């Protein structure tokens, strides 16, 4: 599989509704898409770096520049044996995992299309249907949050996750639990707390949560292990897990009992599979996180979620929760049972709408072999 050219483009997509976490509010997405042109086949992927360096240090501008100046040149004109082969060729560049993932995943996509295989099979998946949850952001009022929970439950979603921060946590969890005592409920702090607040976090134990996601520092494992000892509720790590070594460390030190896998956060499908395998070998269940992706990243999350140890509902939900019109056809739909059926089509099973993407594009650059 020869990499003849790589196209970078930025598209703008307004969210149907703003999304707020402990680190800020997003109304419009600026999304970096990557296309790998390989001997008549185009592999597509989405870089999940955000508009700002708030979730992680990467953001769209660093990802664009790193791909343009370092990562794409390491691949252009090269003959790759597989999508997985991309990973080792990019290893010289430190970190920039979301930028690397976009390239690696575009090449897995190209490989699947070239071999006429479903991407999920190429990744080693087995599930034919995946369980779905939703992530509900911080709202202006508690009433709006309760309405959002009611809407998602009636749509069939199997698990509700709410974003929390000091001042928007115990009060809302209390109200959700008293109205829905039995639902699968979790919360995500996105690093809004410190270990000094462990008494406060212990108070969450009375809500019978499936997990508390990333309560402490984004780069921490050690203090999460200290906190986990004090809590009944399982901690789930998101930001802290950058690779399979982090997963091993977290599992062996008992810093968490559940892991959120985001393919962009760990640098691509190869590392995501390794994180999955480490967790599986240690009986730690995983689920697939989300980064407000367009259909292109969403389709990749769906494929990854077919691996065996993705036993918990992911933040992989329907296109219409985010977009008036998604960039794939068909759009991602979730059944009344809160599941997504996996397609048998080659590639992702979702066709990229290049016409619509062209209209949403605000900048575009094609990089060829030889500069
Ligand atoms: O922490 O999981 C997170 C969105 C942006 C950045 C971080 C996170 C999230 C979400 C949204 O929770 C998940 C989604 O619906 O895509
Ligand atoms: Mg999270």
């Amino acid at each position: 599989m020869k990499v003849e050219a790589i196209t970078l483009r930025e598209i703008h997509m307004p969210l149907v509704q703003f999304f707020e976490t402990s680190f800020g509010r997003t109304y419009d997405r600026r999304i970096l898409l990557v296309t790998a042109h390989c001997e008549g086949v185009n592999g597509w992927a989405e870089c999940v770096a955000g508009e700002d360096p708030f979730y992680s240090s990467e953001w769209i501008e660093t990802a664009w520049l790193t791909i343009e100046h370092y990562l794409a040149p390491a691949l252009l004109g090269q003959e790759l044996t597989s999508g997985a082969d991309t990973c080792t060729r990019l290893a010289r560049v430190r970190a920039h995992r979301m930028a690397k993932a976009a390239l690696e995943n575009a090449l897995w996509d190209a490989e699947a299309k070239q071999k006429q295989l479903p991407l999920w099979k190429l990744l080693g998946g087995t599930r034919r249907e995946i369980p779905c949850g939703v992530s509900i952001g911080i709202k202006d009022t508690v009433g709006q949050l309760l309405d959002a929970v009611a809407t998602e439950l009636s749509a069939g979603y199997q698990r509700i996750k709410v974003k929390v921060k000091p001042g928007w946590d115990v009060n809302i969890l209390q109200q959700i639990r008293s109205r829905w005592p039995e639902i699968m409920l979790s919360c995500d702090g996105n690093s809004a707390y410190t270990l000094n607040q462990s008494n406060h976090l212990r108070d969450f134990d009375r809500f019978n949560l499936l997990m508390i996601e990333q309560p402490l520092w984004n780069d921490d494992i050690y203090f999460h292990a200290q906190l986990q000892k004090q809590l009944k509720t399982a901690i789930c790590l998101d930001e802290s897990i950058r690779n399979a070594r982090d997963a091993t460390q977290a599992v062996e030190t008992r810093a968490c009992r559940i892991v959120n896998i985001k393919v962009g956060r760990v640098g691509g499908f190869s590392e995501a599979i390794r994180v999955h395998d480490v967790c599986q070998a240690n009986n730690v269940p995983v689920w697939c996180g989300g980064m407000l992706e367009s259909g292109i990243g969403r389709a990749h999350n769906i494929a990854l979620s077919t691996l065996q140890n993705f036993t918990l509902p992911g933040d992989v939900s329907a296109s219409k929760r985010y977009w008036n019109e998604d960039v794939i056809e068909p759009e991602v739909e979730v059944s009344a049972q809160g599941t997504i059926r996996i397609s048998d089509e080659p590639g992702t099973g979702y066709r990229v709408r290049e016409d619509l993407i062209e209209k949403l594009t605000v900048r575009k650059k094609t990089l060829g072999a030889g500069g």
Side-chain angles (χ1 to χ4, degrees):
M1 190 166 62
K2 186 167 179 181
V3 188
E4 293 161 334
I6 290 170
T7 300
L8 299 185
R9 69 168 82 219
E10 176 179 342
I11 61 171
H12 284 189
M13 292 177 79
L15 286 166
V16 167
Q17 221 221 340
F18 70 80
F19 188 77
E20 184 172 327
T21 65
S22 62
F23 55 77
R25 190 178 271 198
T26 307
Y27 290 89
D28 298 291
R29 292 293 336 275
R30 293 175 63 195
I31 298 176
L32 169 51
L33 297 178
V34 170
T35 320
H37 309 274
C38 308
E39 298 163 312
V41 170
N42 287 339
W44 284 81
E46 174 167 346
C47 178
V48 301
E51 294 71 39
D52 308 289
F54 299 159
Y55 165 81
S56 73
S57 61
E58 282 187 273
W59 60 298
I60 181 168
E61 298 290 343
T62 65
W64 183 294
L65 287 173
T66 308
I67 294 172
E68 182 179 350
H69 293 279
Y70 291 98
L71 303 175
L75 300 175
L76 286 165
Q78 301 292 310
E79 190 69 51
L80 302 184
T81 56
S82 64
D85 187 20
T86 315
C87 188
T88 49
R89 294 173 191 256
L90 304 180
R92 183 178 177 201
V93 173
R94 308 270 197 231
H96 295 284
R97 285 174 292 275
M98 292 174 179
K100 287 175 180 171
L103 281 175
E104 184 183 328
N105 296 354
L107 285 150
W108 277 89
D109 195 58
E111 183 187 354
K113 284 174 179 157
Q114 193 190 55
K115 294 183 173 163
Q116 289 284 301
L117 273 175
L119 177 61
W120 62 268
K121 272 195 185 162
L122 197 61
L123 293 169
T126 51
R127 297 177 183 277
R128 306 312 326 281
E129 193 170 33
I130 60 165
C132 306
V134 287
S135 174
I136 302 180
I138 294 166
K139 306 288 184 189
D140 289 325
T141 66
V142 177
Q144 287 170 3
L145 177 71
L146 295 174
D147 287 349
V149 173
T151 302
E152 304 302 2
L153 288 172
S154 59
Y157 287 101
Q158 297 183 14
R159 184 226 63 205
I160 300 290
K161 152 176 152 186
V162 290
K163 293 292 188 176
V164 291
K165 64 177 182 181
W168 182 271
D169 49 18
V170 171
N171 54 337
I172 59 143
L173 294 171
Q174 169 87 63
Q175 298 220 38
I176 296 170
R177 259 302 173 235
S178 58
R179 190 154 153 199
W180 295 283
E182 305 291 342
I183 58 166
M184 211 191 278
L185 179 65
S186 70
C187 69
D188 187 354
N190 288 111
S191 304
Y193 301 90
T194 68
L195 199 57
N196 296 330
Q197 289 159 301
S198 62
N199 280 336
H200 177 64
L201 291 166
R202 222 177 6 239
D203 204 18
F204 292 23
D205 277 343
R206 60 195 167 97
F207 303 120
N208 185 30
L209 302 177
L210 176 64
M211 63 195 142
I212 301 179
E213 189 178 341
Q214 198 74 35
L216 307 178
W217 304 276
N218 70 292
D219 58 355
D220 171 76
I221 291 175
Y222 180 84
F223 293 106
H224 279 95
Q226 303 287 309
L227 179 63
Q228 182 67 91
K229 277 191 226 156
Q230 304 179 46
L231 300 180
K232 281 208 214 73
T233 309
I235 290 176
C236 169
L237 290 177
D238 172 358
E239 285 89 327
S240 300
I241 307 297
R242 302 162 301 174
N243 51 46
R245 282 181 298 102
D246 285 343
T248 302
Q249 216 183 106
V251 163
E252 290 188 359
T253 59
R254 300 183 201 282
C256 64
R257 299 205 290 260
I258 298 176
V259 169
N260 166 338
I261 299 183
K262 288 179 181 165
V263 64
R265 193 194 67 224
V266 303
F269 281 131
S270 302
E271 196 66 20
I273 294 166
R274 286 191 280 269
V275 172
H276 165 276
D277 293 350
V278 162
C279 293
Q280 186 165 37
N282 288 280
N283 297 309
V284 168
V286 304
W287 53 280
C288 186
M291 292 291 286
L292 311 176
E293 289 92 343
S294 79
I296 292 175
R298 199 164 294 278
H300 284 189
N301 289 343
I302 292 168
L304 182 66
S305 302
T306 64
L307 271 68
Q308 196 68 56
N309 193 36
F310 281 85
T311 53
L312 296 172
D315 282 346
V316 184
S317 44
S319 296
K320 67 169 185 232
R321 291 191 64 244
Y322 307 83
W323 321 112
N324 279 322
E325 203 178 8
D326 204 346
V327 298
I328 52 166
E329 167 71 37
E331 298 202 339
V332 174
E333 284 187 24
V334 171
S335 72
Q337 290 70 45
T339 60
I340 294 173
R341 289 287 311 165
I342 307 301
S343 162
D344 274 324
E345 299 284 306
T348 62
Y350 297 92
R351 191 184 64 81
V352 173
R353 292 181 59 187
E354 297 194 38
D355 50 343
L356 176 59
I357 288 175
E358 207 59 55
K359 285 188 207 146
L360 300 173
T361 298
V362 297
R363 61 170 162 159
K364 176 175 167 183
K365 185 160 193 170
T366 295
L367 311 164

